[in-house]
Amino acid sequence: MCEYAVYLDNISFSYEGTTVIKDLSLRVRNGEHIGIVGDSGCGKSTVLKIIAGLYEVDCGKAVIAGEKSPVKIREHIAVVMQNNSLFPLSIRDNITCGHDISEEKIWTACQNASLTEWIGSLPDGLNTNVGERGNQVSGGQAQRIQIARALCKDAPIILLDEPVSALDQDTGWSVLNAINELMKDRTVIHVTHHRETLDHSYTIYRMKGGRLSRE
Ligand SMILES: Nc1ncnc2c1ncn2[C@@H]1O[C@H](COP(=O)(O)OP(=O)(O)OP(=O)(O)O)[C@@H](O)[C@H]1O
Ligand SMILES: [Mg+2]
């Protein structure tokens, strides 16, 4: 196993000529918990997408779980993204992503993501289709489905982008408790505007001017 779960060295990234990430470096050891805060639009989600293997950097070096290829990187990562990232498939398929996962594990994940009551009220239960880009479920339900997906995928690296932003306060805290369970022995990078949701296990970085610095 390599020393760093996440190794970003002087990376830069632009969207159609607009530079968002500039000479950013970050080293995250296996099992470390990193919190990222910063103003809206400063590039936090973009950094997570680079780490997730969704975007390739313009220059610099990005090695995630010892891998450089985006396809390989994605095998090691579970994500809860800010914008709805559901497939137009059933709730079950959105949780399992086609992998062979036992009913027991699926239901435990649903329980921990506070989904069981809602799924129990649906005539087709887990087989209910979420619609195109999840347009037949609420933002909070979509977020909890992503969390159940992350709980089912035994990935060593977890990326969380405002994972409870669309949830009411009580559901948010109960889902955060489930996330805290998931985080044990895993590497976590958690972007949030709510610093109070980051416990003392986190090292906090602030994103500004395209870079990250320790708070
Ligand atoms: N797909 C895209 N195409 C072009 N520009 C984009 C795209 N996604 C993001 N941007 C721009 O890149 C910058 C950084 O966006 P990003 O989503 O990473 O910010 P953020 O820090 O996550 O913000 P927030 O806290 O509001 O979620 C913003 O100026 C945004 O408008
Ligand atoms: Mg964002």
Side-chain angles (χ1 to χ4, degrees), residues 183-198:
M183 284 171 31
K184 286 183 184 149
D185 302 322
R186 294 177 207 261
T187 308
V188 178
I189 303 184
H190 185 157
V191 166
T192 185
H193 288 288
H194 299 279
R195 188 186 282 251
E196 69 279 8
T197 61
L198 303 176

Side-chain angles (χ1 to χ4, degrees), residues 49-199:
K49 286 174 185 166
I50 290 168
I51 296 170
L54 298 173
Y55 294 158
E56 286 196 64
V57 295
D58 300 335
C59 58
K61 193 168 159 189
V63 186
I64 315 299
E67 310 279 4
K68 288 184 196 153
S69 129
V71 177
K72 288 272 180 198
I73 288 172
R74 284 178 226 148
E75 289 173 14
H76 299 273
I77 284 188
V79 298
V80 178
M81 284 298 175
Q82 190 174 27
N83 297 323
N84 197 335
S85 69
L86 298 183
F87 307 106
L89 299 170
S90 66
I91 297 171
R92 180 194 301 279
D93 289 342
N94 270 287
I95 292 173
T96 64
C97 292
H99 295 290
D100 195 13
I101 296 172
S102 71
E103 283 297 297
E104 191 189 348
K105 191 164 181 179
I106 294 172
W107 280 108
T108 304
C110 288
Q111 179 80 44
N112 288 329
S114 300
L115 276 169
T116 39
E117 203 178 315
W118 169 60
I119 292 172
S121 74
L122 299 169
D124 292 329
L126 276 172
N127 298 322
T128 307
N129 196 297
V130 302
E132 204 59 44
R133 293 187 68 80
N135 63 5
Q136 286 166 33
V137 299
S138 75
Q141 287 157 351
Q143 215 163 19
R144 283 179 282 156
I145 292 170
Q146 284 193 74
I147 289 163
R149 178 195 292 166
L151 291 166
C152 277
K153 184 174 178 183
D154 285 321
I157 303 174
I158 316 281
L159 305 181
L160 305 168
D161 198 354
E162 295 279 3
V164 297
S165 60
L167 305 183
D168 63 79
Q169 207 171 16
D170 285 351
T171 314
W173 282 111
S174 81
V175 169
L176 274 172
N177 282 337
I179 288 174
N180 287 341
E181 275 303 307
L182 168 74
M183 284 171 31
K184 286 183 184 149
D185 302 322
R186 294 177 207 261
T187 308
V188 178
I189 303 184
H190 185 157
V191 166
T192 185
H193 288 288
H194 299 279
R195 188 186 282 251
E196 69 279 8
T197 61
L198 303 176
D199 69 18

Side-chain angles (χ1 to χ4, degrees), residues 35-47:
I36 299 180
V37 298
D39 294 344
S40 181
C42 69
K44 304 179 298 297
S45 297
T46 305
V47 172

